[in-house]
Structure formats: C-alpha cells, structure tokens
C-alpha cells in the first residue's frame, strides 16, 4: 500500500511536472505566434510606407510639372508682350521717318521759297 501510494505520488508529480512544462511550451508558442503577428503587421506598415513614398514622389513630380508649365506660360506671355512692344517700336520708327521726311520737304520748300 505504501509503495503503491508512493508510486501514485511519483506519477502525479511526473504528470504535474509534464503539465507545467506543457503550459510553459504553450506560453512560449503563444509568444512566438504574437511575435509573428507583429512581424506581419510591421511588414504591412512598411509596405504602406513605400506606397506612400511612391505617391509622395508622384505628387512632387506633378507639382514640379505644374510649376514648369506656369513658368512657360509666363515666359510665353512676356514674349508676346515683347513682340507687341517691338512691333510698336518699328511702327513708331516708321512714323518718325515719315515726320523727318515731311520736315525735310518743308525745309526744302521754305528754302526754295526764300530763293525765289
């Protein structure tokens, strides 16, 4: 009876120890599973970060293109204004030459009248 009781106690201790070891192993497995889940979430966050970085570069490219287009429009407008001013300058030059011609003719006429 004593031996039988001692054997049962020993077996119970073994089962209890095995149960504790199994609980520890299950706890470690749960921690590994949690770590893997966190790793997967981190991978997703990293993927989203790279997608956001790509979108940001695309937005920068669009803004840069818009600025260049605006600068080109300004340059085009300035060029048109300069062409208009240049055209007016040549028209004024032509008028000036016509005025000089009229003055020159008037002066000749006056000199011819004085001679007569």
């Amino acid at each position: 009876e004593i031996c039988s009781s001692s054997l049962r106690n020993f077996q119970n201790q073994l089962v209890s120890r095995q149960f504790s070891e199994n609980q520890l192993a299950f706890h470690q497995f749960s921690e590994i599973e949690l770590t893997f889940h966190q790793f997967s979430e981190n991978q997703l966050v990293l993927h989203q970060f790279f997608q956001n970085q790509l979108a940001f570069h695309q937005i920068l490219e669009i803004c840069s293109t818009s600025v260049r287009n605006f600068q080109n429009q300004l340059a085009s407008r300035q060029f048109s204004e300069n062409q208009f001013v240049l055209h007016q300058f040549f028209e004024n030059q032509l008028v000036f030459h016509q005025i000089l011609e009229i003055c020159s003719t008037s002066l000749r006429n006056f000199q011819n009248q004085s001679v007569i």
Side-chain angles (χ1 to χ4, degrees):
E1 183 63 35
I2 293 172
C3 287
S4 179
S5 178
S6 292
L7 182 60
R8 279 195 303 277
N9 285 342
F10 179 73
Q11 288 173 334
N12 287 341
Q13 286 176 349
L14 283 178
V15 167
S16 178
R17 183 179 298 151
Q18 187 63 49
F19 179 76
S20 296
E21 288 175 0
N22 287 348
Q23 270 189 318
L24 179 63
F26 180 75
H27 180 71
Q28 290 171 336
F29 174 77
S30 296
E31 286 181 350
I32 291 170
E33 194 175 32
L34 179 62
T35 301
F36 179 75
H37 181 71
Q38 289 170 337
F39 174 77
S40 298
E41 286 180 350
N42 289 345
Q43 274 188 316
L44 179 62
V45 168
L46 191 62
H47 180 70
Q48 289 171 335
F49 170 78
F50 285 122
Q51 283 182 331
N52 290 345
Q53 199 175 27
L54 178 62
F56 178 72
H57 282 292
Q58 290 170 338
I59 290 169
L60 279 181
E61 185 60 33
I62 289 169
C63 290
S64 179
T65 301
S66 295
V67 168
R68 281 193 304 270
N69 288 343
F70 180 71
Q71 289 172 333
N72 288 341
Q73 286 175 345
L74 285 178
S76 177
R77 183 177 298 150
Q78 187 63 51
F79 178 76
S80 296
E81 289 173 2
N82 290 347
Q83 276 187 314
F84 179 69
V85 169
L86 191 61
H87 180 71
Q88 287 178 324
F89 171 78
F90 285 123
E91 282 183 354
N92 290 343
Q93 197 175 27
L94 180 61
V95 170
F96 179 73
H97 281 293
Q98 290 170 342
I99 291 171
L100 278 179
E101 185 63 34
I102 291 169
C103 289
S104 179
T105 301
S106 295
L107 182 61
R108 280 194 305 273
N109 288 343
F110 178 74
Q111 288 171 342
N112 287 341
Q113 286 176 357
S114 293
V115 168
I116 294 175

